[in-house]
Every structure is written in structure tokens, then in C-alpha cells.
Amino acid sequence: MKSLLSEAWLVASKDLRIEARSRVLTNQVAPFAVLVLVLFGFALDADQRTLRMFAPGLFWVAVLLCLLLAVQRSSAVESADDAATGLRMAGLAPAAVFLGKSAAIFVQLLVLELLLTAGIIVFYGSSVKNLFLWLIAGLVTALAVATTGMLYGALASGLGVRETLLPILLLPVLAPVLIGATRAYDDALGAAAVDGWAWTGLLAMFAVVASTLGALAYGALVED
Amino acid sequence: MTNPTSSVATTGSPGSRALGLATLAGLVGLLVLAFVLTEPDVRIHPSTGQEIGQFDAVRLLYLHVPMAVITYVAYSLAAFASAGYLIKRTPWWDVTAHAAAEVGTVFCFLVLVTGSIWGRPVWNTWWEWGDVRLMTTLILFLMFVGYLALRRTAADPRVQARRAAVVALVAIVDLPLVNRSVEWWENRTLHQKSTLGELKIEDLTLFTLMVGFLVFLMVFSWLLLHRFRVGWLTLAAGEHQVAAAIKERRAEADGSGVASAVGETS
């Protein structure tokens, strides 16, 4: 177990180092996230009251769109110069590679969630009413979508149509997460009177199942 | 049918033709029963005396419900065959999974369409976002659309089969949610609980519904059989092309081929 976690840490730190040096997250994905929020504002042509009401859903749609970019990026890093083969030949356990790469996406999503929260506060006039729920729901949702995204990223990797295939495969699976996370943030942001903790519990279950399934299936998916 | 290289000229056979004719006859019989012989749903309101009910819209019951059950059957078969492929790694399981998923997706689409048509007069809407069964069915449909998109990629057949099997096994988790949604979220659905399970229908209505199940099972079997054979022939054609290409390369590698390859003229 210790070995698995240390190997996962190696992979995660490698991916995060690449992101820190390439600055794709800060220079491209983060501006894209803010742009999505702004476009929602234009498209809905709404006043802040309406935007505040829809802010939880718009927030998580923006996160899912950014997730697609993060997963594509995570796969692209391994495709360049056939780095995936190098990773396999390094003798790392496939489960560790899966957990490590998921952890890197998870960290990136947390950064984006922070940025998007600031975005909905500034642009939509939202406010965080329940800080603890906002934090926990944000963490478990990021974990759920990062592990699911990584699993489906592996499914689409190495295919010529990866960029177009990934959204078709991934987004329907994440639809329940979108519903649950929106309800949880409805409560955390005070947009609607729902039990956000119940939805957060469901999201946590989804995250555990996705992490376990992904760790078990990843080896079979990347074998050639 | 054990060897993919065996030569089969057509997907039809005497047995499948007989099944096709029986299915066609069954469909005609079902349509007559559903749209002519059974009664519309008309009741009298106990206090106002007005006619209430679903009227002729109830006839969609005989199409929509059997097709929904066949969708369950098809996707369950796809998941079972996908698991079989991951264990056995033989093409038979893979082709079966692909065929069942494709036919299942056709049925799932028809379930959504007939449900929408039925919903317009009965629920007064083509689409109800708050209905859990509708949502879970839509998600199931979209997941298998993704499965079929994966199947259309030009990946190595073994890689494609392995990945598709994982997608099918993840997607099938949604099936119990679709089926049990009317019980688990009874306040979040416009669908009624199973009338069949509680035997709230009887006589010709029940008979027609049973005929519907049988006829759509025959439609599914016929489509599955032909789709399986198409898949098997595609596999055989692929292997034939590989074999032909190897033969061609070997022919090129004889004396003159080698000489020309190294730049010597004969």
C-alpha cells in the first residue's frame, strides 16, 4: 500500500511539475474557465438575481468543461514522445499511475474551483453561505470527476479521435455528478433550500466507486 | 459458426428467414390488437360524471413497455457478453456485445420517442426534466451512444473490444436505476409503478401486452442475429484482408521482388 501511494505520488508530482513549468493551466485553462462564466452571463442576458439562482449549475458545467481540457492534457503529456511506454517500462503499478494522474487532475480542478468561486462571486453576485459544505462538496466532486475523467481518458487515449470521443463517453457518466454537485452547491451558496449534505454523501460514494473501478481497470485499459 | 474466416455469403439463413416472417406476422397482429381490438382508456369521473382517462393514447402502452423491457434485455446481454470478452478474450463475445448494444440502442431510442409521444397527451409535455426515470433512461442511451462511437474508431480490434467492454460494464450500472427509479424516487417521477407487477390490467389489455413482449422479443432476436452475422463477416473480411496483404508481401519478397527492392535490375 505504501509503495502504491509513493508511486502514485511520483506520477502526480511529475504531472504537476509539467503543468507548473508549461503553465497551460494558468495561461489557457483558467482563462477559459472565466470565459465560460462570462459567456453564460451573455447567453442568459440575466440580472444578477437570476444568475445567482443558476450559479451552482453554471459553476459545475464550467468545471466539467475544464475537466475535459485537463484530461485531454493529461493524456497528451503521455502521448508525446511515447512517454506512456516509458511510464510502463518504469515498472510502476498501473493502479499507482491511475491514482497519481487522477491526483494531478484533482489538484488542478481544486485550483479551478477556487477561481470559479471567485468568478461567481464577482460576476454573478453569489456568496458562500455554508463554507464547510462548499469545501467538502467541492473536494468530493473534484475527486469524483477527476477519477472518472482519468478512467475515460484512458479509454479514449491512443485513438485518432480522442478529442471528440472523450466528451461523448465522459459527460453522460458525469451527469449524475453534475446533478448532485449542483444540489450541494444550491445549499452551500444559498440558491435553493435543499439538503446539500445528502447530495455530498452520494457524491462521496460516486468518488469511492470511480476511484476503485479506475484503479482496478486501468491496467487492462493501457495494456497493449 | 466458430471460425471467422469461414465463407458466408449472406446474413440470412432458412431459420432467420422463418423468424423474420413470423416476426412480421406478429407485428401485424400486435398492431391490429393494439390499435383496433383493444378499448381506449375511458372512465367516468365519480363526482363530475365527465369522461376521464388516457383515451387512445393508452394504446402506446403495447409498444412502449415491451420495447423498454427489450432495451433492458439487450443492454444486459451487452454487459454480460462484455464481461465474457474480458474473461475469455474471444471475438464471439465481443461481436455479441457489440450487436446487443447496437440493437439495444435502437430500442432505447424508440422507447424515448414513444414515451415522449405518449407524454404529450397524458402529461401535457413532450419532455419532463424532473422525471427520474426519463433522465436515467436518457443517460443510459447517451452512454451507449458513446459506446457505439468508440466502436466506430479505427483502433486495433482487440484494444477497441477491451475498452468497449469496460464502457458497457460501467454503463450497465445505470440500468437498475432506470428500472427501480419509480420505487426509489416515487415523488420525482410521473411514471407510474409497474402495473404488470401489481396486475392492475387484465383481459385483452394484458393479453395484448404479453403479445407485445413476445413480438418485440422476436424483433430483437431477428435484429441481433443479423447484426451478429454482419459483425462476424466484418471480422472475417478484416482477417481476409490481412491474410491477403501478407500473401502479397511474401510474393514481393521472392527473387525479383528482393532484387528490385535493393535496386538491382533483372
Side-chain angles (χ1 to χ4, degrees):
Chain A
M1 187 67 185
K2 192 182 173 188
S3 157
L4 184 81
L5 291 178
S6 63
E7 285 180 10
W9 169 247
L10 273 177
V11 176
S13 57
K14 177 214 42 120
D15 274 15
L16 289 172
R17 211 174 301 127
I18 290 171
E19 289 310 317
R21 289 176 184 168
S22 66
R23 300 191 180 187
V24 171
L25 180 74
T26 50
N27 290 355
Q28 292 170 26
V29 184
F32 172 74
V34 176
L35 184 64
V36 170
L37 282 190
V38 173
L39 288 178
F40 281 144
F42 290 151
L44 294 174
D45 193 22
D47 59 353
Q48 281 210 333
R49 190 165 163 272
T50 312
L51 283 169
R52 263 201 307 279
M53 197 164 69
F54 294 123
L58 301 180
F59 176 95
W60 287 113
V61 169
V63 169
L64 291 190
L65 293 177
C66 292
L67 170 77
L68 291 175
L69 297 183
V71 172
Q72 302 274 22
R73 172 89 187 130
S74 180
S75 298
V77 163
E78 303 305 342
S79 304
D81 302 323
D82 201 15
T85 306
L87 206 57
R88 274 201 299 275
M89 291 180 73
L92 299 171
V97 175
F98 171 80
L99 292 174
K101 292 189 78 65
S102 299
I105 295 173
F106 170 74
V107 171
Q108 293 174 57
L109 288 179
L110 290 185
V111 173
L112 289 167
E113 284 180 21
L114 274 176
L115 179 72
L116 285 167
T117 302
I120 58 170
I121 289 170
V122 173
F123 294 127
Y124 300 172
S126 299
S127 57
V128 179
K129 307 283 186 200
N130 187 337
L131 190 65
F132 194 48
L133 179 59
W134 168 81
L135 182 69
I136 300 298
L139 282 170
V140 294
T141 308
L143 184 63
V145 299
T147 48
T148 313
M150 192 56 229
L151 177 64
Y152 277 80
L155 280 166
S157 69
L159 304 176
V161 290
R162 184 185 65 205
E163 292 80 5
T164 43
L165 185 65
L166 181 66
I168 300 173
L169 288 175
L170 179 58
L171 293 179
V173 180
L174 289 180
V177 178
L178 176 67
I179 295 167
T182 302
R183 296 293 167 271
Y185 265 35
D186 273 340
D187 189 2
L189 302 178
V194 288
D195 182 4
W197 287 110
W199 287 102
T200 307
L202 281 175
L203 290 168
M205 276 173 57
F206 191 101
V208 169
V209 171
S211 307
T212 311
L213 259 180
L216 291 174
Y218 191 74
L221 292 175
V222 295
E223 77 180 41
D224 280 323
Chain B
M1 188 175 284
T2 52
N3 182 4
T5 56
S6 64
S7 60
V8 182
T10 169
T11 59
S13 65
S16 69
R17 285 188 197 102
L19 176 64
L21 285 173
T23 303
L24 205 59
L27 271 173
V28 172
L30 175 65
L31 292 176
V32 170
L33 277 166
F35 291 97
V36 180
L37 299 180
T38 51
E39 295 294 323
D41 175 37
V42 184
R43 285 159 282 159
I44 304 297
H45 194 281
S47 52
T48 63
Q50 280 185 321
E51 285 189 344
I52 56 166
Q54 297 190 19
F55 303 100
D56 281 326
V58 79
R59 298 179 193 281
L60 279 166
L61 167 83
Y62 311 115
L63 307 180
H64 179 77
V65 175
M67 282 194 289
V69 171
I70 296 302
T71 303
Y72 295 164
V73 171
Y75 283 157
S76 300
L77 178 61
F80 180 74
S82 296
Y85 176 77
L86 289 177
I87 295 164
K88 299 280 186 185
R89 304 281 172 128
T90 55
W92 189 90
W93 290 102
D94 181 47
V95 175
T96 303
H98 187 184
E102 196 165 295
V103 177
T105 304
V106 171
F107 273 97
C108 194
F109 175 74
L110 291 173
V111 168
L112 288 168
V113 170
T114 52
S116 184
I117 294 169
W118 196 3
R120 185 70 186 94
V122 176
W123 297 343
N124 201 29
T125 178
W126 295 104
W127 193 260
E128 176 53 50
W129 283 102
D131 190 289
V132 181
R133 176 168 271 181
L134 199 51
M135 288 304 104
T136 47
T137 307
L138 178 65
I139 290 169
L140 184 70
F141 173 71
L142 291 175
M143 284 199 280
F144 273 96
V145 166
Y147 173 95
L148 295 178
L150 177 61
R151 284 292 190 176
R152 288 273 175 190
T153 58
D156 176 87
R158 283 171 303 166
V159 172
Q160 194 190 75
R162 202 166 55 233
R163 294 181 182 189
V166 174
V167 172
L169 288 173
V170 173
I172 204 67
V173 174
D174 189 33
L175 197 64
L177 298 181
V178 177
N179 184 249
R180 308 311 300 163
S181 56
V182 287
E183 275 87 24
W184 292 348
W185 294 281
E186 56 183 328
N187 296 326
R188 292 292 307 274
T189 182
L190 297 175
H191 280 87
Q192 62 192 56
K193 287 184 183 177
S194 170
T195 46
L196 195 63
E198 296 170 17
L199 279 178
K200 287 179 182 168
I201 51 175
E202 53 192 14
D203 301 336
L204 193 59
T205 302
L206 183 61
F207 175 75
T208 307
L209 191 58
M210 290 300 150
V211 170
F213 285 130
L214 180 68
V215 167
F216 280 107
L217 187 63
M218 288 162 73
V219 173
F220 168 67
S221 305
W222 187 81
L223 287 173
L224 182 73
L225 188 67
H226 283 277
R227 184 62 189 86
F228 177 87
R229 287 175 177 171
V230 168
W232 199 257
L233 287 172
T234 307
L235 198 68
E239 289 187 6
H240 178 75
Q241 280 172 0
V242 171
I246 290 171
K247 197 176 171 186
E248 200 176 309
R249 296 293 173 276
R250 280 186 178 150
E252 282 176 7
D254 65 8
S256 60
V258 171
S260 62
V262 296
E264 292 175 4
T265 52
S266 54

